[in-house]
Amino acid sequence: MKKDLGSVLALYPTPLTVVGAVVNGKPNWVLVGHVGIMGHDRIMVSLAKPHYTNQGIYESRKLSVNIVDEALLAKADYVGCVSGNKTDKSGVFACSMGQSGAPLIDEAKLSMECTVEDIYETKGFDNFILKIDHTYAEESILSEDGKIDYGVFKPVLFEMPGYTYLKTGDSAAKCMTLGRERQ
Ligand SMILES: Cc1cc2nc3c(=O)[nH]c(=O)nc-3n(C[C@H](O)[C@H](O)[C@H](O)COP(=O)(O)O)c2cc1C
């Protein structure tokens, strides 16, 4: 029998990301699990209004979304534990400025450099709707035909109820193979 949990957010796990933006002249990094895909060319990151990072995003409208793998996880977890409001996190990651002006984590194997297109405010949150200007990927995570191979990259996922990071990498099936078999 199913239990009605009420209005509970159940859309987990989500990819774990570190968002980077210049705040008061320095890069700042924040761990973000509440991210989403919109259509085929927009993404969304949801940031609580008191976060230090939001100030910089409002000012420059530029940010990077760096996808976390296990190699990045310890530092990523750190930038989710401390706020730029109290601690200078600019030195946590070596970084380079992207072509649009957002700070990109050098050691991240996969990063998107984005421009804010819209801000959808909900109570206590800035939900930034982003246009992807550039996507930068380490060659080591690309397949022979130049596509991102998530089986090789193995992004870390986030789930809120157990407040846990999950591993990825195993494949369940190729898309549309199981459906076609049933036709
Ligand atoms: C696993 C994890 C996921 C998080 N996801 C989000 C998120 O999706 N949105 C958000 O606003 N804060 C999220 N946070 C909290 C921020 O990363 C944290 O409060 C951070 O210190 C804010 O940094 P800032 O004030 O320098 O911007 C998350 C923290 C953890 C540990």
Side-chain angles (χ1 to χ4, degrees):
M1 195 154 113
K2 285 184 191 169
K3 194 172 169 186
D4 179 1
L5 301 178
S7 174
V8 164
L9 191 53
L11 196 61
Y12 295 105
T14 56
L16 188 67
T17 68
V18 174
V19 166
V22 173
V23 192
N24 296 321
K26 287 179 174 181
N28 189 69
W29 312 102
V30 56
L31 187 62
V32 180
H34 285 176
V35 295
I37 297 175
M38 305 176 70
H40 283 179
D41 57 2
R42 297 287 183 276
I43 59 170
M44 186 280 305
V45 296
S46 180
L47 289 182
K49 279 182 176 288
H51 289 346
Y52 185 66
T53 314
N54 302 34
Q55 303 171 29
I57 299 176
Y58 266 95
E59 230 167 77
S60 68
R61 298 186 80 88
K62 303 287 180 195
L63 65 155
S64 67
V65 179
N66 305 272
I67 318 295
V68 176
D69 64 357
E70 278 192 62
L72 208 65
L73 187 56
K75 287 183 186 174
D77 192 46
Y78 172 73
V79 300
C81 295
V82 297
S83 171
N85 285 312
K86 289 194 175 154
T87 306
D88 181 354
K89 294 187 273 184
S90 62
V92 175
F93 298 105
C95 70
S96 313
M97 293 309 275
Q99 296 171 78
S100 306
L104 297 157
I105 298 175
D106 289 346
E107 65 196 281
K109 296 186 188 83
L110 188 56
S111 306
M112 285 171 284
E113 188 178 20
C114 302
T115 299
V116 174
E117 190 170 86
D118 207 347
I119 304 171
Y120 181 81
E121 291 181 63
T122 49
K123 197 175 174 216
F125 288 86
D126 293 319
N127 303 289
F128 295 103
I129 315 272
L130 309 173
K131 181 170 91 58
I132 302 159
D133 298 324
H134 300 277
T135 299
Y136 305 96
E138 273 293 334
E139 283 184 31
S140 61
I141 63 159
L142 296 179
S143 60
E144 274 179 14
D145 56 358
K147 291 183 185 160
I148 300 160
D149 187 333
Y150 288 92
V152 172
F153 175 51
K154 299 189 180 75
V156 168
L157 305 181
F158 162 68
E159 62 96 355
M160 185 80 124
Y163 218 41
T164 301
Y165 303 122
L166 302 174
K167 284 173 182 275
T168 62
D170 288 345
S171 111
K174 288 296 258 183
C175 302
M176 298 180 80
T177 53
L178 304 175
R180 286 212 175 105
E181 277 165 19
R182 288 174 66 98
Q183 278 175 354

